[in-house]
Amino acid sequence: MEELKEMLWRQFGAVIDMLESSIQICPESFWDKKEFWYSAYHTIFWLDYYSSEEPGNFCPPNSFSLSEFDPKGILPERVYLKKELIEYLEYSRKKVFFLIDALNEETSKKRFITKKKNYNRIEMIIYNMRHVQHHVGQLNLLLRQNEDVAGKWVSQTSKKH
C-alpha cells in the first residue's frame, strides 16, 4: 500500500504541477479570452470535489460557488483572478495529498457515490487524475494556438503537498 500511495502521489502531484504551470504561464492579456480562466477554474473545482470523502457534504472555499453543479452550465458570477485560482489549486493539492496519504486497506474500499458515480477511493483518485490531465491538455492547446506558449511537462512531482 505504501508503494501504491507514493506512485499515486508522484503522478497526481505531477498533473497538478502541470495545471499550475499552465495557469502561471498564461499571459494576463489572454486570461479572460477563450474562457481560459473558466477552464482552469472548472478543473480545480472538480479536482476539489472529486477529492472529497463525502461528496454530499462538499463545499468549496468561500470565494467560490457551487455554480459548476448547475445543469445549465452557467459561468461563475465573475472572472476569477489567476492568484485566486493558484490559491484554490494549492488548497486542492493538499486535499489530494492527504486523501492519498490516508489510504489503507479499509479507506481504499470506501465509495465515492453520486447519482452518476460509484467508485472505490483508488478508482476515484485515478478518475480525478485523468480529468485534470484532460483539461491540462486543453489549456495547453489553447495557449499554444493563441499565445505560442504552454505549460511544462512534469514526469513526477517533487512536492510533498
Side-chain angles (χ1 to χ4, degrees):
M1 185 62 72
E2 290 306 309
E3 185 177 15
L4 174 64
K5 289 168 32 175
E6 289 174 19
M7 288 186 295
L8 283 171
W9 173 246
R10 283 193 308 262
Q11 292 305 307
F12 207 147
V15 170
I16 296 169
D17 292 347
M18 291 174 69
L19 176 57
E20 179 180 17
S21 176
S22 298
I23 292 169
Q24 293 284 16
I25 203 165
C26 180
E28 289 298 330
S29 61
F30 189 68
W31 184 249
D32 63 349
K33 306 283 190 295
K34 308 247 186 213
E35 306 299 350
F36 184 93
W37 72 272
Y38 173 70
S39 186
Y41 168 67
H42 164 89
T43 307
I44 299 166
F45 177 93
W46 291 101
L47 169 64
D48 180 18
Y49 175 68
Y50 291 150
S51 300
S52 299
E53 292 185 40
E54 299 291 334
N57 297 331
F58 173 74
C59 187
N62 289 338
S63 304
F64 305 100
S65 72
L66 294 172
S67 63
E68 285 297 292
F69 291 146
D70 190 312
K72 296 175 190 156
I74 296 173
L75 293 177
E77 296 176 2
R78 65 180 178 85
V79 173
Y80 292 118
L81 302 174
K82 190 184 289 193
K83 180 180 185 278
E84 291 176 296
L85 293 189
I86 293 295
E87 288 171 0
Y88 191 11
L89 184 58
E90 287 307 310
Y91 167 88
S92 298
R93 179 191 312 269
K94 289 177 184 171
K95 191 171 178 180
V96 171
F97 176 85
F98 289 117
L99 184 71
I100 292 171
D101 193 53
L103 285 175
N104 59 39
E105 291 298 324
E106 182 182 327
T107 62
S108 67
K109 293 175 185 163
K110 288 187 178 180
R111 310 295 296 179
F112 183 97
I113 300 173
T114 66
K115 288 180 182 177
K116 296 182 179 181
K117 293 178 179 46
N118 184 347
Y119 299 146
N120 73 34
R121 178 131 331 138
I122 293 173
E123 186 174 13
M124 194 64 215
I125 288 168
I126 293 169
Y127 177 91
N128 193 1
M129 185 181 349
R130 290 179 50 241
H131 179 257
V132 174
Q133 188 64 55
H134 166 77
H135 286 293
V136 168
Q138 289 179 327
L139 291 170
N140 281 329
L141 179 63
L142 280 173
L143 288 169
R144 184 63 70 201
Q145 288 178 333
N146 294 280
E147 298 293 322
D148 199 27
V149 297
K152 65 181 178 178
W153 172 262
V154 179
S155 60
Q156 292 183 338
T157 193
S158 59
K159 297 179 181 179
K160 287 295 177 193
H161 59 74

